[in-house]
Amino acid sequence: MHHSLHSRSPPINLTISLSRLMYGLVDGNNFYVSCERVFQPRLEGCPVVVLSNNDGAVVSRSAEAKQLGIPMGAPFFKVRELLRRHQGHALSSNYALYGDMSRRVMARLAAHVPGVEVYSIDEAFLDLHGLTTWCGTLDTRVQSIRRDVLACTGIPTCVGVAPTKTLAKVANRLAKKHPELQGILRLDTASRRERALRALPVADVWGIGYQYAGKLATQGIRTAWELSQVSEAWARKHLGGVIGWRLVQELLGQPCHGLLPSEDSTPSRQSISCSRSFGQRLATFDDLWGAVTTYLSRAAEKLRAHGDQAHILTVYISQDRYDTRVQPPYTRSTTLTLPAGPTSNTLQLLAYGRRLLEKLYEPGRLYAKAGVVLDGLEPPCRGQQLDLFSPVSSTVIAPISDDRARKLMHSLDALNRQFGRGTVRPAATVTAAGQPASWQGKAQHKSQAFTTRLEDLMVVD
């Protein structure tokens, strides 16, 4: 793959619809590491990795760390000595910082284009339709957006530009891999698209993944180009029906998926989850319940912040899969469709969550992780469905009117926003004064909350 991606070539006879639409996919380079470097310039030029919850594995790497051969997902204990020898740094995940920096990046993007679809914490699709009419060439406009994001947030980015979202993902991936492209790859002609698709392994196509790529390899399909050449009948049979055929169409330049912008440049979520690995193995129900209560309270807070309610609750607990004494299954989970209808009320969700945990917990086992998932999200409606036969309202929590429940949750969120998260919280999460929670994960290398805590703001002398 060379700079020839941008070179001119004779037209290739392809059945491609040259749509007037144009999408951009913006991705923050090594996003977690980049967020840390904004506030810690000493990290520039050094190998840097950010670790997963509980300081377990590598989840973000600087370019220098990649050059050392440190793979994504590597256990920290296996790369600790390598980092030390090369004067590298390992940092614990600081999700409050990364979330706030993500919001800043998305706000800058929204200031430049008519529509933004936030795809993840570090990725967003842009609506670039019509920008060349008023803003010069597309490359010039996109470079201007990149410079503004870097100047205002400190986050470097790469941008893939193409007539479909799938091709924009392809372009972005290749732009990241090839520095000579200077952060932008535009696939707006048949020849450029063919070169890009021939250079991209099929496993890197959006929606394929490495596991399914192995199955495609047995069919002789190893590149994105080969995938784009399959027939409609083959795609429908082997790629999941109409979804697979739409993927092929998108690779050919025919848009099948439009932009899904949100009014506030935040993701439109289909589910909300919260899970953590414990700093130590937990054996008692009370300790596990404290962890689940913490995670479910946080998930409910996120639910209300997005103005949604949940229909379905899942709770799961996991043992250590690397412990040779533990036999599979390592994780047990249970799911409940809420019998009284959707809710965002923390107290109601905790009542259901305790019942689910009681089904899962087995005395004598040591647990390493727990989590909760809220699914079936929808905006709140007036009134609430009542379940005549559900014992939850009468035996677990006192009945409470919709209006009083909303006011209670509003007051809870307001107090925690004003005085700090966890100021008001369920009693099950309270520990003895000065004692860390038994489920609290390790974060021995965590940086300050540079943007979200007043006492952590940087001070210039």
Side-chain angles (χ1 to χ4, degrees):
M1 191 70 175
H2 300 289
H3 193 63
S4 58
L5 280 169
H6 280 308
S7 64
R8 295 180 179 272
S9 292
I12 297 175
N13 185 20
L14 295 176
T15 55
I16 295 177
S17 172
L18 297 178
S19 171
R20 296 176 61 189
L21 294 175
M22 197 65 69
Y23 298 102
L25 190 277
V26 181
D27 182 22
N29 298 344
N30 313 318
F31 184 69
Y32 291 174
V33 170
S34 295
C35 290
E36 299 284 358
R37 282 176 164 174
V38 169
F39 301 95
Q40 301 183 74
R42 65 185 177 86
L43 300 177
E44 290 288 348
C46 301
V48 180
V49 299
V50 173
L51 306 174
S52 62
N53 171 253
N54 215 34
D55 290 348
V58 174
V59 295
S60 183
R61 306 161 293 163
S62 68
E64 298 81 5
K66 294 175 184 177
Q67 291 172 1
L68 292 180
I70 297 176
M72 184 68 80
F76 178 43
F77 73 88
K78 290 187 176 181
V79 301
R80 181 188 286 113
E81 179 58 24
L82 179 62
L83 284 169
R84 188 194 65 79
R85 289 201 309 268
H86 291 84
Q87 290 78 51
H89 302 268
L91 302 170
S92 303
S93 296
N94 189 341
Y95 294 116
L97 174 64
Y98 309 151
D100 187 60
M101 293 300 291
S102 175
R103 286 188 288 273
R104 297 182 184 202
V105 170
M106 302 309 168
R108 291 315 308 158
L109 295 175
H112 289 275
V113 295
V116 176
E117 177 188 339
V118 181
Y119 181 66
S120 68
I121 192 171
D122 62 342
E123 291 181 280
F125 286 103
L126 308 182
D127 178 4
L128 301 178
H129 176 56
L131 290 187
T132 56
T133 302
W134 310 104
C135 307
T137 67
L138 202 53
D139 284 353
T140 299
R141 184 56 176 167
V142 171
Q143 285 288 17
S144 175
I145 294 173
R146 291 182 68 235
R147 286 194 298 269
D148 180 67
V149 170
L150 182 62
C152 294
T153 69
I155 302 298
T157 58
C158 283
V159 185
V161 178
T164 72
K165 293 168 74 174
T166 301
L167 281 173
K169 290 278 284 187
V170 169
N172 179 274
R173 184 176 290 272
L174 293 172
K176 287 192 293 184
K177 287 184 176 181
H178 300 278
E180 68 272 15
L181 296 176
Q182 299 182 337
I184 295 179
L185 177 58
R186 179 164 44 90
L187 303 180
D188 58 348
T189 67
S191 59
R192 289 176 181 173
R193 283 194 287 275
E194 181 181 1
R195 287 192 181 90
L197 295 180
R198 286 187 182 277
L200 191 74
V202 71
D204 289 341
V205 174
W206 188 28
I208 295 297
Y210 289 96
Q211 184 173 359
Y212 199 73
K215 297 179 181 179
L216 291 176
T218 64
Q219 303 284 334
I221 298 174
R222 293 178 173 82
T223 68
W225 172 255
E226 291 168 338
L227 181 63
S228 72
Q229 300 304 294
V230 303
S231 68
E232 179 177 356
W234 193 96
R236 287 178 177 271
K237 180 178 179 180
H238 298 281
L239 294 175
V242 68
I243 295 175
W245 177 235
R246 286 174 180 169
L247 171 60
V248 173
Q249 291 289 94
E250 287 248 330
L251 290 174
L252 291 173
Q254 178 62 49
C256 298
H257 304 290
L259 207 67
L260 302 173
S262 60
E263 294 181 359
D264 58 354
S265 295
T266 57
S268 178
R269 298 170 182 247
Q270 300 301 313
S271 66
I272 292 177
S273 63
C274 186
S275 65
R276 296 288 186 272
S277 297
F278 309 139
Q280 58 183 303
R281 302 297 175 257
L282 302 184
T284 70
F285 179 87
D286 287 344
D287 282 342
L288 276 175
W289 175 233
V292 171
T293 298
T294 300
Y295 308 153
L296 192 48
S297 298
R298 177 61 182 139
E301 181 183 341
K302 291 181 180 180
L303 193 64
R304 293 190 295 272
H306 286 83
D308 287 325
Q309 294 183 330
H311 273 280
I312 302 169
L313 169 62
T314 298
V315 175
Y316 63 89
I317 51 179
S318 301
Q319 296 177 271
D320 185 355
R321 66 176 57 248
Y322 301 107
D323 188 338
T324 56
R325 298 166 296 178
V326 177
Q327 299 298 318
Y330 305 106
T331 298
R332 298 185 65 215
S333 67
T334 184
T335 298
L336 174 69
T337 298
L338 305 186
T343 185
S344 62
N345 186 322
T346 297
L347 298 181
Q348 289 180 323
L349 290 169
L350 288 176
Y352 294 122
R354 187 177 180 93
R355 292 171 59 195
L356 297 183
L357 184 61
E358 288 172 346
K359 293 181 180 180
L360 297 174
Y361 174 70
E362 295 183 19
R365 295 186 180 272
L366 296 177
Y367 295 97
K369 183 178 181 179
V372 301
V373 182
L374 298 173
D375 284 301
L377 308 190
E378 64 175 34
C381 59
R382 292 187 178 182
Q384 183 177 7
Q385 174 185 340
L386 299 178
D387 185 353
L388 179 63
F389 303 103
S390 173
V392 172
S393 296
S394 60
T395 62
V396 182
I397 58 174
I400 186 170
S401 69
D402 287 351
D403 186 55
R404 288 182 60 202
R406 282 192 294 269
K407 290 180 179 178
L408 178 60
M409 293 300 105
H410 176 77
S411 298
L412 173 68
D413 294 337
L415 288 170
N416 286 330
R417 281 195 302 269
Q418 181 174 357
F419 298 105
R421 182 176 296 158
T423 300
V424 182
R425 61 186 190 273
T429 68
V430 178
T431 59
Q435 296 297 318
S438 58
W439 58 88
Q440 184 172 324
K442 298 175 183 176
Q444 298 176 350
H445 314 282
K446 189 176 180 179
S447 57
Q448 298 168 239
F450 294 105
T451 66
T452 55
R453 291 180 60 190
L454 186 61
E455 55 268 36
D456 283 351
L457 291 180
M458 297 183 70
V459 177
V460 179
D461 294 329

